[in-house]
Amino acid sequence: MSTTPLPAQHRALLLSTPESGFDAKTLPTPQPTPGSAIIRITAAGVLPYHGDVYNGTRRSNTVPTPLVGGFGAIGHVAVVGPDAVALKPGQLVYVDCVVRARDDPDSFFLSAIYSGSTEGSKKLMADGGWRDGTFAEFVRVPLENCIALDEGRLCQSLGYTVQDLVYMAYLLVPFGGIRDIGLQAGETIIVCPATGFYGSLGVQVAVAMGARVIAMGRSEEKLGRLVEDVKRRSLSRGVDIETVIITGDEDKDADALRAFGAADAVLDLTPAAAATSTHTKSAIKALRRGGRVSLMGSTTNFAVSQIMVNNITLKGKMMYERETIVHFAKMLERGLLPLGKDLIETKIFSLEDWKVAFDTAAEHNGVGKCVVITP
Ligand SMILES: NC(=O)c1ccc[n+]([C@@H]2O[C@H](COP(=O)([O-])OP(=O)(O)OC[C@H]3O[C@@H](n4cnc5c(N)ncnc54)[C@H](OP(=O)(O)O)[C@@H]3O)[C@@H](O)[C@H]2O)c1
């Protein structure tokens, strides 16, 4: 691994104005500052909705311009700031997108895709020196956003390519909620709805953790495909996934869930378009006494008397904490997730092909699917 000095210039995908679209440009290479590392990016993740973020149609995700685009990525440390004590040049790292203010961790933004909801978050993204994302040869990253990965174990023993490892950026979102409610091996978790981007990945993560999953969805066909995809890409032959159709009849759907016995937990990833759907209520009604619910989506329809009567815990969760990423890396290194390139289909694009990459990610997403830009 090269640890040569940084070049004066590098290539990056720059959004000059919301209207302009991206251009692959030659820009000054970012330089290290105290508290940062410069990472040479190998592969940066593309989200199914990246195109909508940058063309302004995803109104919940505002970003300042000019901006180098990006998301979670995998790369090698090129240079570290003077206060780094563990990271060394050449180390393989996962670059995480959740950037928190050091004097107020409640102020955070998601690098290059979401400027946050508070004045502090927006100020941090606009002026904090961390604005630019990973669609670039080099990126300056807060030290705490660099998670060391065991390259020998992951890429030699377990057969991942560095590009495949970007898949962890997607899985971390549902894992954040699952870990927040303390899901244990052997427990039963209801994932609702389970056929979307993060829902389907939530099913895969819960299965990898040794849980039984009840996947709720509107479409029998999509649920069938989901079960097949997760089983095909699982290590264990005893994968236990049940499915329940969302009919809109709250009690009927709760009965269908209860037919599998009382569940321990719910992972809710309801999109805004389904905010008033009854599935979250049905799921809560199917929980055992003391059950836990992670609310990661946009449901507004969850008030049921069982929350009080059955001592149910409801927890909202935005993304995940740093220790969650570190723990996920350990799970990956122990081989608990699907192994090797045969089980993750990663489509790779150059900086110049950003538009095709965004269009591809809008279709090629979910269990075992990954799209990356390699600067
Ligand atoms: N908390 C966090 O950190 C975090 C991070 C990222 C995203 N999120 C949130 O997570 C949620 C899910 O995101 P996503 O990207 O996974 O969304 P997505 O891919 O669009 O998921 C859509 C899912 O919702 C289902 N659905 C759509 N309309 C429905 C309706 N009227 N009734 C019942 N089900 C319906 C879809 O079912 P079909 O398959 O049948 O269409 C599919 O299962 C969003 O609210 C997003 O903002 C939260």
Side-chain angles (χ1 to χ4, degrees):
M1 185 51 49
S2 164
T3 56
T4 49
L6 294 173
Q9 296 186 314
H10 76 139
R11 302 267 297 154
L13 212 44
L14 186 75
L15 185 71
S16 300
T17 68
E19 298 74 32
S20 65
F22 281 101
D23 269 320
K25 296 252 192 202
T26 300
L27 301 173
T29 306
Q31 297 298 311
T33 52
S36 77
I38 305 298
I39 307 299
R40 177 190 274 278
I41 296 297
T42 306
V46 181
L47 288 160
Y49 45 84
H50 247 135
D52 291 342
V53 171
Y54 297 128
N55 68 22
T57 50
R58 193 171 164 106
R59 303 185 83 84
S60 54
N61 291 58
T62 54
V63 290
T65 50
L67 178 83
V68 174
F71 178 56
I74 303 284
H76 291 90
V77 175
V79 183
V80 289
D83 51 343
V85 297
L87 289 176
K88 302 269 186 304
Q91 170 70 52
L92 184 73
V93 289
Y94 165 68
V95 176
D96 191 58
C97 71
V98 185
V99 179
R100 296 183 195 278
R102 285 165 174 167
D103 57 345
D104 174 17
D106 293 344
S107 290
F108 69 93
F109 69 90
L110 307 185
S111 178
I113 51 168
Y114 173 61
S115 56
S117 58
T118 68
E119 283 311 304
S121 306
K122 292 182 200 323
K123 175 176 184 297
L124 183 68
M125 184 170 193
D127 308 326
W130 312 116
R131 171 195 297 207
D132 287 334
T134 52
F135 295 159
E137 287 181 278
F138 293 94
V139 61
R140 181 171 49 228
V141 184
L143 287 172
E144 61 271 25
N145 285 56
C146 303
I147 310 298
L149 299 175
D150 183 341
E151 187 166 5
R153 171 77 182 155
L154 291 167
C155 298
Q156 283 149 35
S157 306
L158 300 180
Y160 294 108
T161 65
V162 172
Q163 288 82 358
D164 292 340
L165 293 174
V166 169
Y167 187 55
M168 72 181 276
Y170 308 143
L171 293 174
L172 275 168
V173 172
F175 184 60
I178 287 173
R179 187 161 165 84
D180 195 47
I181 54 170
L183 184 71
Q184 303 291 321
E187 287 194 317
T188 297
I189 185 167
I190 299 167
V191 178
C192 63
T195 53
F197 176 53
Y198 290 115
S200 62
L201 299 177
V203 173
Q204 183 176 30
V205 171
V207 163
M209 292 172 69
R212 174 167 72 151
V213 174
I214 308 178
M216 295 186 80
R218 297 186 291 187
S219 154
E220 197 168 350
E221 188 198 331
K222 285 189 184 177
L223 284 170
R225 222 178 307 136
L226 170 70
V227 172
E228 194 184 303
D229 277 350
V230 174
K231 285 194 170 171
R232 190 158 46 87
R233 294 172 193 275
S234 289
L235 300 176
S236 157
R237 272 183 284 151
V239 171
D240 195 355
I241 312 176
E242 309 291 351
T243 60
V244 164
I245 298 283
I246 300 167
T247 67
D249 181 331
E250 184 182 317
D251 288 319
K252 184 175 159 200
D253 296 352
D255 286 343
L257 291 165
R258 282 195 210 100
F260 300 107
D264 301 286
V266 174
L267 174 65
D268 186 88
L269 279 156
T270 303
T276 58
S277 172
T278 53
H279 56 257
T280 314
K281 283 175 152 179
S282 307
I284 295 173
K285 284 182 171 182
L287 283 174
R288 67 165 166 82
R289 190 171 152 83
R292 300 96 69 198
V293 182
S294 176
L295 294 171
M296 294 199 82
S298 309
T299 181
T300 54
N301 195 13
F302 52 84
V304 281
S305 59
Q306 282 80 357
I307 293 171
M308 180 271 286
V309 173
N310 286 339
N311 295 356
I312 303 297
T313 301
L314 302 184
K315 292 186 85 179
K317 189 66 195 166
M318 181 68 187
M319 301 300 276
Y320 37 75
E321 307 305 310
R322 187 180 194 276
E323 65 81 24
T324 303
I325 315 174
V326 172
H327 187 82
F328 188 86
K330 289 180 187 173
M331 284 175 44
L332 199 60
E333 287 165 2
R334 299 291 68 76
L336 295 184
L337 272 294
L339 298 182
K341 60 181 181 312
D342 292 343
L343 290 168
I344 301 173
E345 196 189 338
T346 303
K347 296 193 185 255
I348 301 173
F349 296 90
S350 65
L351 287 178
E352 287 73 15
D353 282 339
W354 60 272
K355 202 167 184 321
V356 194
F358 291 179
D359 290 347
T360 303
E363 301 299 326
H364 181 78
N365 63 70
V367 176
K369 296 183 180 137
C370 185
V371 175
V372 300
I373 286 179
T374 52

Tab-separated table of all heavy atoms in Angstrom, residues 250-251 254-255 258 263 266 278 280-293 302-314:
chain	number	residue	atom	x	y	z
A	250	GLU	N	-56.277	-3.995	10.597
A	250	GLU	CA	-55.313	-4.006	11.704
A	250	GLU	C	-55.378	-5.284	12.543
A	250	GLU	O	-54.344	-5.899	12.841
A	250	GLU	CB	-55.659	-2.777	12.549
A	250	GLU	CG	-54.793	-2.491	13.689
A	250	GLU	CD	-55.348	-1.250	14.407
A	250	GLU	OE1	-55.740	-0.259	13.739
A	250	GLU	OE2	-55.394	-1.272	15.646
A	251	ASP	N	-56.603	-5.686	12.903
A	251	ASP	CA	-56.722	-6.850	13.799
A	251	ASP	C	-56.473	-8.162	13.064
A	251	ASP	O	-55.857	-9.079	13.610
A	251	ASP	CB	-58.089	-6.845	14.487
A	251	ASP	CG	-58.150	-5.742	15.539
A	251	ASP	OD1	-57.124	-5.572	16.243
A	251	ASP	OD2	-59.153	-5.033	15.626
A	254	ALA	N	-52.822	-8.451	12.773
A	254	ALA	CA	-52.227	-8.799	14.088
A	254	ALA	C	-52.436	-10.287	14.369
A	254	ALA	O	-51.522	-10.965	14.857
A	254	ALA	CB	-52.852	-7.943	15.184
A	255	ASP	N	-53.618	-10.803	14.046
A	255	ASP	CA	-53.871	-12.245	14.243
A	255	ASP	C	-52.928	-13.087	13.388
A	255	ASP	O	-52.408	-14.113	13.842
A	255	ASP	CB	-55.322	-12.592	13.874
A	255	ASP	CG	-56.306	-12.111	14.939
A	255	ASP	OD1	-55.840	-11.825	16.068
A	255	ASP	OD2	-57.514	-12.017	14.637
A	258	ARG	N	-49.668	-13.105	15.102
A	258	ARG	CA	-49.697	-13.891	16.358
A	258	ARG	C	-49.717	-15.393	16.083
A	258	ARG	O	-49.365	-16.183	16.958
A	258	ARG	CB	-50.932	-13.513	17.189
A	258	ARG	CG	-50.796	-12.209	17.939
A	258	ARG	CD	-51.892	-12.106	19.000
A	258	ARG	NE	-52.259	-10.734	19.233
A	258	ARG	CZ	-53.322	-10.131	18.718
A	258	ARG	NH1	-54.172	-10.777	17.937
A	258	ARG	NH2	-53.556	-8.867	18.995
A	263	ALA	N	-44.210	-12.156	19.295
A	263	ALA	CA	-42.890	-11.679	18.834
A	263	ALA	C	-42.202	-10.888	19.947
A	263	ALA	O	-42.852	-10.403	20.881
A	263	ALA	CB	-43.062	-10.810	17.594
A	266	VAL	N	-39.966	-5.325	17.076
A	266	VAL	CA	-40.412	-4.816	15.767
A	266	VAL	C	-39.358	-3.844	15.254
A	266	VAL	O	-38.844	-3.014	16.009
A	266	VAL	CB	-41.758	-4.052	15.891
A	266	VAL	CG1	-42.146	-3.400	14.556
A	266	VAL	CG2	-42.876	-4.958	16.383
A	278	THR	N	-51.747	0.735	8.576
A	278	THR	CA	-52.031	0.116	9.886
A	278	THR	C	-50.987	-0.915	10.323
A	278	THR	O	-51.098	-1.474	11.413
A	278	THR	CB	-53.386	-0.612	9.799
A	278	THR	OG1	-53.338	-1.506	8.668
A	278	THR	CG2	-54.535	0.347	9.653
A	280	THR	N	-47.933	-0.959	11.468
A	280	THR	CA	-47.158	-0.804	12.711
A	280	THR	C	-48.030	-1.171	13.917
A	280	THR	O	-47.575	-1.833	14.853
A	280	THR	CB	-46.621	0.637	12.848
A	280	THR	OG1	-46.053	1.039	11.595
A	280	THR	CG2	-45.572	0.728	13.928
A	281	LYS	N	-49.307	-0.753	13.875
A	281	LYS	CA	-50.216	-1.100	14.975
A	281	LYS	C	-50.375	-2.610	15.084
A	281	LYS	O	-50.345	-3.179	16.181
A	281	LYS	CB	-51.597	-0.480	14.736
A	281	LYS	CG	-51.682	1.002	15.045
A	281	LYS	CD	-53.056	1.470	14.650
A	281	LYS	CE	-53.527	2.647	15.442
A	281	LYS	NZ	-54.862	3.079	15.020
A	282	SER	N	-50.554	-3.267	13.945
A	282	SER	CA	-50.711	-4.725	13.953
A	282	SER	C	-49.474	-5.368	14.568
A	282	SER	O	-49.580	-6.297	15.385
A	282	SER	CB	-50.898	-5.263	12.530
A	282	SER	OG	-51.939	-4.603	11.879
A	283	ALA	N	-48.309	-4.858	14.178
A	283	ALA	CA	-47.051	-5.449	14.678
A	283	ALA	C	-46.940	-5.265	16.186
A	283	ALA	O	-46.568	-6.196	16.911
A	283	ALA	CB	-45.868	-4.811	13.953
A	284	ILE	N	-47.282	-4.076	16.677
A	284	ILE	CA	-47.180	-3.833	18.130
A	284	ILE	C	-48.164	-4.740	18.883
A	284	ILE	O	-47.845	-5.291	19.938
A	284	ILE	CB	-47.431	-2.340	18.454
A	284	ILE	CG1	-46.308	-1.483	17.847
A	284	ILE	CG2	-47.526	-2.118	19.960
A	284	ILE	CD1	-46.521	0.018	17.942
A	285	LYS	N	-49.340	-4.941	18.297
A	285	LYS	CA	-50.335	-5.807	18.948
A	285	LYS	C	-49.847	-7.254	19.034
A	285	LYS	O	-50.335	-8.021	19.857
A	285	LYS	CB	-51.656	-5.763	18.165
A	285	LYS	CG	-52.443	-4.478	18.398
A	285	LYS	CD	-53.749	-4.536	17.627
A	285	LYS	CE	-54.659	-3.377	18.001
A	285	LYS	NZ	-55.941	-3.449	17.295
A	286	ALA	N	-48.931	-7.629	18.159
A	286	ALA	CA	-48.463	-9.029	18.137
A	286	ALA	C	-47.261	-9.258	19.048
A	286	ALA	O	-46.727	-10.361	19.092
A	286	ALA	CB	-48.110	-9.419	16.698
A	287	LEU	N	-46.837	-8.186	19.777
A	287	LEU	CA	-45.656	-8.339	20.641
A	287	LEU	C	-46.007	-8.978	21.973
A	287	LEU	O	-47.116	-8.831	22.486
A	287	LEU	CB	-45.037	-6.966	20.921
A	287	LEU	CG	-44.203	-6.360	19.791
A	287	LEU	CD1	-43.796	-4.931	20.164
A	287	LEU	CD2	-42.970	-7.208	19.509
A	288	ARG	N	-45.012	-9.629	22.555
A	288	ARG	CA	-45.155	-10.159	23.913
A	288	ARG	C	-45.085	-9.016	24.913
A	288	ARG	O	-44.660	-7.893	24.564
A	288	ARG	CB	-44.049	-11.178	24.194
A	288	ARG	CG	-42.658	-10.565	24.259
A	288	ARG	CD	-41.682	-11.537	24.899
A	288	ARG	NE	-40.303	-11.188	24.710
A	288	ARG	CZ	-39.620	-10.292	25.444
A	288	ARG	NH1	-40.229	-9.592	26.384
A	288	ARG	NH2	-38.344	-10.071	25.197
A	289	ARG	N	-45.433	-9.308	26.145
A	289	ARG	CA	-45.261	-8.321	27.217
A	289	ARG	C	-43.772	-7.977	27.312
A	289	ARG	O	-42.904	-8.860	27.271
A	289	ARG	CB	-45.733	-8.973	28.518
A	289	ARG	CG	-45.850	-8.067	29.692
A	289	ARG	CD	-46.547	-8.850	30.797
A	289	ARG	NE	-46.144	-8.378	32.102
A	289	ARG	CZ	-46.678	-7.316	32.700
A	289	ARG	NH1	-47.650	-6.643	32.112
A	289	ARG	NH2	-46.256	-6.949	33.887
A	290	GLY	N	-43.466	-6.689	27.343
A	290	GLY	CA	-42.055	-6.264	27.403
A	290	GLY	C	-41.383	-6.214	26.039
A	290	GLY	O	-40.160	-6.100	25.974
A	291	GLY	N	-42.148	-6.297	24.976
A	291	GLY	CA	-41.569	-6.243	23.625
A	291	GLY	C	-40.984	-4.865	23.324
A	291	GLY	O	-41.313	-3.876	23.990
A	292	ARG	N	-40.098	-4.812	22.315
A	292	ARG	CA	-39.417	-3.552	21.971
A	292	ARG	C	-39.673	-3.213	20.504
A	292	ARG	O	-39.727	-4.109	19.656
A	292	ARG	CB	-37.900	-3.665	22.166
A	292	ARG	CG	-37.442	-3.989	23.567
A	292	ARG	CD	-37.190	-5.472	23.758
A	292	ARG	NE	-36.043	-5.972	23.042
A	292	ARG	CZ	-35.822	-7.259	22.772
A	292	ARG	NH1	-36.703	-8.186	23.144
A	292	ARG	NH2	-34.743	-7.626	22.108
A	293	VAL	N	-39.785	-1.904	20.253
A	293	VAL	CA	-40.047	-1.440	18.885
A	293	VAL	C	-39.008	-0.391	18.519
A	293	VAL	O	-38.821	0.582	19.251
A	293	VAL	CB	-41.449	-0.795	18.772
A	293	VAL	CG1	-41.739	-0.365	17.324
A	293	VAL	CG2	-42.533	-1.727	19.297
A	302	PHE	N	-49.287	4.536	15.238
A	302	PHE	CA	-48.833	3.422	16.074
A	302	PHE	C	-49.484	3.396	17.451
A	302	PHE	O	-49.138	2.563	18.283
A	302	PHE	CB	-47.304	3.411	16.198
A	302	PHE	CG	-46.713	4.728	16.640
A	302	PHE	CD1	-46.651	5.060	17.975
A	302	PHE	CD2	-46.228	5.621	15.697
A	302	PHE	CE1	-46.111	6.266	18.380
A	302	PHE	CE2	-45.687	6.834	16.094
A	302	PHE	CZ	-45.628	7.163	17.437
A	303	ALA	N	-50.415	4.328	17.720
A	303	ALA	CA	-51.001	4.386	19.067
A	303	ALA	C	-51.997	3.242	19.273
A	303	ALA	O	-53.053	3.214	18.644
A	303	ALA	CB	-51.692	5.730	19.260
A	304	VAL	N	-51.622	2.289	20.112
A	304	VAL	CA	-52.537	1.200	20.486
A	304	VAL	C	-52.427	0.984	21.998
A	304	VAL	O	-51.364	1.218	22.583
A	304	VAL	CB	-52.218	-0.130	19.747
A	304	VAL	CG1	-52.745	-0.140	18.335
A	304	VAL	CG2	-50.742	-0.444	19.758
A	305	SER	N	-53.516	0.526	22.615
A	305	SER	CA	-53.524	0.389	24.076
A	305	SER	C	-52.504	-0.642	24.554
A	305	SER	O	-52.024	-0.575	25.683
A	305	SER	CB	-54.924	0.009	24.557
A	305	SER	OG	-55.303	-1.219	23.950
A	306	GLN	N	-52.122	-1.569	23.675
A	306	GLN	CA	-51.159	-2.615	24.066
A	306	GLN	C	-49.803	-2.030	24.465
A	306	GLN	O	-49.040	-2.679	25.191
A	306	GLN	CB	-50.956	-3.615	22.904
A	306	GLN	CG	-52.058	-4.621	22.740
A	306	GLN	CD	-53.272	-4.054	22.005
A	306	GLN	OE1	-53.327	-2.877	21.645
A	306	GLN	NE2	-54.267	-4.899	21.800
A	307	ILE	N	-49.485	-0.823	24.022
A	307	ILE	CA	-48.183	-0.229	24.385
A	307	ILE	C	-48.096	-0.111	25.907
A	307	ILE	O	-47.091	-0.484	26.523
A	307	ILE	CB	-48.001	1.152	23.711
A	307	ILE	CG1	-47.894	0.977	22.197
A	307	ILE	CG2	-46.755	1.860	24.253
A	307	ILE	CD1	-47.936	2.281	21.411
A	308	MET	N	-49.184	0.379	26.518
A	308	MET	CA	-49.202	0.525	27.978
A	308	MET	C	-49.460	-0.828	28.652
A	308	MET	O	-48.707	-1.261	29.528
A	308	MET	CB	-50.283	1.553	28.352
A	308	MET	CG	-50.426	1.801	29.832
A	308	MET	SD	-51.600	0.665	30.621
A	308	MET	CE	-53.156	1.314	30.034
A	309	VAL	N	-50.490	-1.523	28.177
A	309	VAL	CA	-50.905	-2.765	28.840
A	309	VAL	C	-49.776	-3.801	28.837
A	309	VAL	O	-49.563	-4.514	29.817
A	309	VAL	CB	-52.171	-3.337	28.153
A	309	VAL	CG1	-52.517	-4.714	28.700
A	309	VAL	CG2	-53.329	-2.375	28.315
A	310	ASN	N	-49.021	-3.869	27.746
A	310	ASN	CA	-47.977	-4.903	27.606
A	310	ASN	C	-46.560	-4.390	27.871
A	310	ASN	O	-45.584	-5.050	27.504
A	310	ASN	CB	-48.038	-5.529	26.207
A	310	ASN	CG	-49.226	-6.462	26.067
A	310	ASN	OD1	-49.758	-6.935	27.070
A	310	ASN	ND2	-49.649	-6.713	24.841
A	311	ASN	N	-46.452	-3.216	28.502
A	311	ASN	CA	-45.109	-2.683	28.844
A	311	ASN	C	-44.183	-2.635	27.625
A	311	ASN	O	-43.022	-3.054	27.674
A	311	ASN	CB	-44.419	-3.550	29.912
A	311	ASN	CG	-45.132	-3.522	31.230
A	311	ASN	OD1	-46.111	-2.808	31.396
A	311	ASN	ND2	-44.651	-4.309	32.175
A	312	ILE	N	-44.711	-2.129	26.524
A	312	ILE	CA	-43.914	-2.095	25.288
A	312	ILE	C	-42.982	-0.877	25.305
A	312	ILE	O	-43.391	0.221	25.690
A	312	ILE	CB	-44.847	-2.000	24.047
A	312	ILE	CG1	-45.843	-3.155	24.000
A	312	ILE	CG2	-44.035	-1.883	22.755
A	312	ILE	CD1	-45.243	-4.524	23.853
A	313	THR	N	-41.757	-1.063	24.864
A	313	THR	CA	-40.806	0.052	24.724
A	313	THR	C	-40.767	0.491	23.268
A	313	THR	O	-40.530	-0.331	22.377
A	313	THR	CB	-39.381	-0.397	25.123
A	313	THR	OG1	-39.419	-0.841	26.477
A	313	THR	CG2	-38.378	0.736	24.981
A	314	LEU	N	-40.990	1.793	23.041
A	314	LEU	CA	-40.851	2.356	21.686
A	314	LEU	C	-39.588	3.214	21.674
A	314	LEU	O	-39.428	4.078	22.529
A	314	LEU	CB	-42.025	3.270	21.345
A	314	LEU	CG	-43.448	2.739	21.376
A	314	LEU	CD1	-44.412	3.834	20.907
A	314	LEU	CD2	-43.594	1.513	20.496
